[in-house]
C-alpha cells in the first residue's frame, strides 16, 4: 500500500534532486506514500504490518480494505508492530474510531504507546476497542485462528526512536523482523529496517519465498551529501543498498526468495528509473516496491 521511508516521496520540505524533479514533472519514476503492507490468507480478513502516517489514504486506495457490512465495519483484524518508529505507529491514530482490532507488539513497545504517550489512549476509550497482544522478541504465533497466517518474529536491533526517553525498556524488544507463513507453507519476510546483516539472518532469508527488505538508502553518506551534515545510514539503523558491505552484495548468494526493496527514502537515486543505480538494482535481480504492488504467494 505504501513503499517510501518516513517522509514519503516527495517529502514536504525536501528539495533534493529526486523531490525537485518529481515536482517539476521531469522525474522518471513514481511518487510513493510511506511504507505500509497488508496481508491476508482468505481475502476477507486482513492484517496490517505496522501503521503508516498515510494509512487513511492507503486504506481508501485499497478496495479490499473498505467496509462491507453494516454502518461500522472493517476487514482489518489487527496490526503487527515491529518498532516504535513514528512512521510505523502514527497510523494507529487514524484507526481510533472505536473499531475493535488487535495490536501485536512487544511489552516494551506496548509500554511506550500505552503508558508513556497518552494520545494512544484514544485506542482504548471503550471496552470493545483495541486489544493488545504481547509478543516475545522471538517466537511464533498465529495472526489469525488456524489455519490462518502464522508469524515468526526475531530481534533485529536494540535502538529505540529518539522520542523514547524513559529507561527500563528491553533492548531486544526495540526492533523486530518478521516472517509470515501461509497455510500452504509459503513465506514472506518483512524487514523495513535492517541495521546489520548477520549469517543467521542470511540463513533465515534463504527459507522465504518473498523478501520485503530495507531499501532506505543507496549509500552510507547519502543524507550527509544532500543536507551537508547529519547521520550516516548505518548510524540511523539501515544497511545501505550499495557498497562492499551493502545489501546487494551481502544478499547476492540468496537463491530462493524473490527480492523486493521497500521503505525507500526520497533521496535514494534508485527511485529514478533512468539512473545507473536503478539499472544496477534491476540487474542484480531486485525489484523496487511501488504503492499498490501486490504479491500472491
Ligand atoms: Zn527529497
Amino acid at each position: 500500500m505504501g513503499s517510501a521511508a518516513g517522509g514519503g516521496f516527495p517529502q514536504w520540505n525536501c528539495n533534493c534532486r529526486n523531490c525537485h524533479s518529481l515536482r517539476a514533472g521531469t522525474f522518471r519514476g513514481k511518487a510513493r506514500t510511506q511504507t505500509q503492507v497488508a496481508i491476508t490468507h482468505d481475502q476477507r480478513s486482513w492484517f496490517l504490518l505496522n501503521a503508516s502516517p498515510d494509512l487513511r489514504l492507503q486504506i481508501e486506495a485499497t478496495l479490499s480494505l473498505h467496509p462491507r457490512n453494516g454502518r461500522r465495519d472493517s476487514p482489518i483484524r489487527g496490526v503487527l508492530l515491529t518498532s516504535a518508529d513514528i512512521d510505523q505507529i502514527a497510523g494507529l491514530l487514524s484507526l481510533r474510531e472505536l473499531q475493535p482490532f488487535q495490536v501485536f507488539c512487544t511489552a516494551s513497545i506496548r509500554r511506550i504507546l500505552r503508558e508513556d504517550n497518552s494520545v494512544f489512549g484514544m485506542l482504548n476509550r471503550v471496552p470493545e476497542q483495541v486489544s493488545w497482544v504481547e509478543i516475545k522478541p522471538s517466537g511464533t504465533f498465529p495472526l489469525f485462528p488456524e489455519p490462518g497466517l502464522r508469524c515468526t518474529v526475531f530481534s533485529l536491533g536494540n535502538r529505540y526512536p529518539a522520542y523514547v526517553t524513559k529507561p527500563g525498556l528491553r533492548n531486544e524488544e526495540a526492533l523486530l523482523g518478521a516472517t509470515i507463513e501461509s497455510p500452504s507453507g509459503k513465506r514472506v519476510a518483512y524487514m523495513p529496517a535492517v541495521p546489520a546483516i548477520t549469517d543467521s539472518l542470511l540463513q533465515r532469508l534463504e527459507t522465504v519465498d518473498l523478501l520485503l527488505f530495507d531499501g532506505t538508502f543507496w549509500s552510507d553518506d547519502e543524507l550527509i551529501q544532500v543536507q551537508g551534515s547529519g547521520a550516516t545510514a548505518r548510524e540511523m539503523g539501515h544497511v545501505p543498498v550499495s557498497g562492499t558491505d551493502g545489501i546487494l552484495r551481502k544478499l547476492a548468494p540468496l537463491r530462493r526468495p524473490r527480492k523486493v526493496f521497500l521503505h525507500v527514502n526520497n533521496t535514494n537515486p534508485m527511485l529514478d528509473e533512468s539512473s545507473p543505480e536503478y539499472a544496477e538494482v534491476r540487474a542484480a535481480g531486485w525489484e523496487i516496491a511501488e504503492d499498490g504492488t501486490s504479491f500472491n504467494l
Side-chain angles (χ1 to χ4, degrees):
M1 297 160 70
S3 48
F9 176 49
Q11 177 178 309
W12 71 283
N13 66 341
C14 189
N15 205 20
C16 75
R17 205 181 137 274
N18 284 352
C19 291
H20 179 82
S21 59
L22 187 85
R23 290 191 183 102
T26 57
F27 188 75
R28 220 177 111 197
K30 291 189 174 149
R32 286 166 165 84
T33 61
Q34 293 166 95
T35 291
Q36 180 66 56
V37 175
I39 54 172
T40 185
H41 63 290
D42 63 3
Q43 301 289 324
R44 293 197 309 273
S45 298
W46 291 76
F47 226 86
L48 302 179
L49 306 184
N50 290 316
S52 98
D54 296 319
L55 185 55
R56 193 190 75 82
L57 290 172
Q58 291 165 333
I59 290 172
E60 285 309 308
T62 310
L63 196 60
S64 326
L65 296 182
H66 294 178
R68 286 163 220 186
N69 306 304
R71 295 290 172 88
R72 287 280 194 274
D73 177 60
S74 173
I76 296 170
R77 300 283 174 260
V79 182
L80 171 72
L81 299 180
T82 61
S83 83
D85 285 349
I86 290 174
D87 63 332
Q88 309 291 16
I89 61 163
L92 287 175
L93 297 174
S94 298
L95 303 179
R96 66 187 182 279
E97 282 84 10
L98 310 180
Q99 184 72 26
F101 63 93
Q102 294 180 305
V103 174
F104 286 63
C105 63
T106 60
S108 294
I109 290 177
R110 185 175 65 177
R111 202 193 96 181
I112 293 166
L113 299 186
R114 296 206 66 188
E115 295 173 32
D116 301 343
N117 289 277
S118 59
V119 67
F120 290 96
M122 294 301 279
L123 298 172
N124 290 102
R125 290 170 64 204
V126 298
E128 297 296 313
Q129 202 175 347
V130 170
S131 58
W132 298 77
V133 181
E134 182 183 325
I135 58 174
K136 301 291 175 199
S138 68
T140 300
F141 48 88
L143 290 181
F144 297 104
E146 305 283 355
L149 301 171
R150 289 181 63 76
C151 180
T152 299
V153 293
F154 42 95
S155 183
L156 275 180
N158 56 17
R159 260 184 31 154
Y160 284 95
Y163 76 88
V164 175
T165 54
K166 302 219 170 167
L169 300 169
R170 294 191 198 101
N171 283 342
E172 67 276 17
E173 296 186 356
L175 173 65
L176 304 181
T179 61
I180 295 127
E181 185 173 319
S182 72
S184 67
K186 293 292 178 94
R187 287 190 198 137
V188 54
Y190 167 77
M191 276 169 261
V194 179
I197 298 169
T198 61
D199 287 343
S200 67
L201 179 62
L202 286 173
Q203 285 169 17
R204 193 188 289 277
L205 298 183
E206 191 63 291
T207 70
V208 306
D209 301 283
L210 172 65
L211 183 53
L212 302 176
F213 204 80
D214 183 347
T216 312
F217 296 113
W218 176 259
S219 54
D220 200 33
D221 64 348
E222 185 169 316
L223 276 191
I224 299 170
Q225 282 188 33
V226 171
Q227 299 173 160
S229 64
T232 66
R234 288 178 191 274
E235 285 167 354
M236 296 175 73
H238 299 284
V239 177
V241 172
S242 70
T244 48
D245 275 334
I247 295 165
L248 292 182
R249 290 272 183 88
K250 296 278 267 189
L251 269 56
L254 295 183
R255 287 291 161 259
R256 177 164 166 185
R258 178 176 173 185
K259 294 182 255 191
V260 181
F261 284 119
L262 85 172
H263 199 268
V264 185
N265 201 58
N266 61 82
T267 52
N268 191 323
M270 72 183 186
L271 287 172
D272 179 353
E273 294 172 15
S274 63
S275 70
E277 291 86 355
Y278 175 82
E280 186 179 339
V281 164
R282 300 291 286 128
W286 283 78
E287 298 163 65
I288 303 173
E290 298 176 354
D291 292 14
T293 304
S294 69
F295 302 95
N296 191 359
L297 294 180

